[in-house]
Amino acid sequence: MAEITIALSKGRIFDDTAPLLEAAGIVAKDNPASSRKLILDTNRANVRLVIVRASDVPTYVQYGAADLGIAGKDVLLEHGGNGLYQPLDLNIARCRMMVAVPEGFDYDSAVRQGARLRVATKYLQTTREHFADKGVHVDLIKLYGSMELAPLVGLADAIVDLVSTGSTLKANHLRAVEEIMPISSRLIINQAALKLKRETIQPILDAFAQAVKE
Ligand code: PRT
Ligand code: MG
């Protein structure tokens, strides 16, 4: 059987993925939450996991450094999807990509009056496309995290970020004013690996698909 490398990120994606891996008969020998190892062996001699930043997962798979990976739709849209086959929405790590503004900010009037909005976000592609579709002029400010701070200190009028419970927005006196899209994580596969290692990859794909349906 071919050697298979699966790229995953720590945190919520790993937590939600472990049961799917188990359904495919794959169990990691270490827990990435407590281990500092970046390459984890599994119970299967031909399958290993590599632990990378969430936003780096598509890059590892695109270049074939990993055969499979799991990445959020947010991350995939920014990456662009080159070289990736995306056969399966796993319905895990779900949240919504939203536009949010400070509680006192009148977003609807600002948009109606054609004001030029300053929007801070990690998701430049998706944000640019969203406002272009609405015909709203925006100046985008690229941040790498803690977008919620930007409107509070005058860096931006609005942010585009992921929201799940809404408690981060609330704690920072922001409110969501628009949903851009629902987000969940997808299985991604290197296109060349799928052809060359189909005998090993297909059963994993099938087990994931079955586990997602249940
Ligand atoms: O590792 P790195 O910091 O580069 O990446 P990351 O922070 O994106 O990784 P991680 O593990 O936090 O997120 C991985 C994936 O989980 C994302 O790419 C999303 O597809 C998905 N996901 C689901 C989320 C959330 N829910 C989520 N709530 N990613 C981030 N958040 C953040 C959000 O950005 C905000 O700061 O949680 C905060 C809001 O949460 P609530 O519950 O207060 O609304
Ligand atoms: Mg994070």
Side-chain angles (χ1 to χ4, degrees), residues 10-11 14-15 29-37 40 51:
K10 287 191 201 191
F14 190 87
D15 297 341
K29 285 194 173 160
D30 290 284
N31 179 349
S34 50
S35 166
R36 288 172 183 271
K37 286 185 186 168
L40 304 183
I51 304 300

Side-chain angles (χ1 to χ4, degrees), residues 109-125:
S109 319
V111 165
R112 224 179 307 119
Q113 287 159 15
R116 204 175 171 89
L117 284 179
R118 279 185 309 160
V119 182
T121 187
K122 186 166 150 185
Y123 307 103
L124 290 185
Q125 309 297 340

Side-chain angles (χ1 to χ4, degrees), residues 42-205:
T42 72
N43 61 319
R44 282 176 52 177
N46 66 326
V47 178
R48 63 177 186 169
L49 311 181
V50 294
I51 304 300
V52 304
R53 289 288 292 264
S55 43
D56 290 335
V57 168
T59 307
Y60 278 81
V61 177
Q62 173 187 2
Y63 289 101
D67 303 292
L68 309 180
I70 293 173
K73 187 177 178 190
D74 50 317
V75 163
L76 289 167
L77 288 170
E78 291 303 305
H79 172 270
N82 252 344
L84 303 178
Y85 177 53
Q86 302 185 26
L88 193 59
D89 185 345
L90 299 171
N91 239 326
I92 60 171
R94 290 172 62 180
C95 57
R96 296 180 293 163
M97 191 174 292
M98 313 267 310
V99 181
V101 298
E103 273 162 10
F105 184 82
D106 189 346
Y107 177 72
D108 290 335
S109 319
V111 165
R112 224 179 307 119
Q113 287 159 15
R116 204 175 171 89
L117 284 179
R118 279 185 309 160
V119 182
T121 187
K122 186 166 150 185
Y123 307 103
L124 290 185
Q125 309 297 340
T126 315
T127 301
R128 188 177 292 119
E129 208 165 295
H130 172 71
F131 286 104
D133 286 350
K134 283 170 64 80
V136 174
H137 293 289
V138 289
D139 291 316
L140 296 182
I141 299 172
K142 165 81 182 182
L143 291 177
Y144 291 88
S146 302
M147 273 81 83
E148 295 88 355
L149 179 63
L152 307 182
V153 295
L155 179 61
D157 303 308
I159 62 171
V160 168
D161 195 5
L162 303 177
V163 179
S164 58
T165 61
S167 49
T168 306
L169 290 184
K170 198 163 174 217
N172 292 292
H173 306 290
L174 301 172
R175 72 190 167 93
V177 287
E178 224 162 54
E179 172 165 341
I180 298 181
M181 64 178 78
I183 298 288
S184 54
S185 289
R186 279 139 199 261
L187 179 66
I188 57 176
I189 308 181
N190 177 276
Q191 283 173 349
L194 183 60
K195 293 197 190 97
L196 297 169
K197 305 183 185 178
R198 190 180 275 275
E199 272 177 51
T200 313
I201 291 176
Q202 190 67 47
I204 298 175
L205 176 51

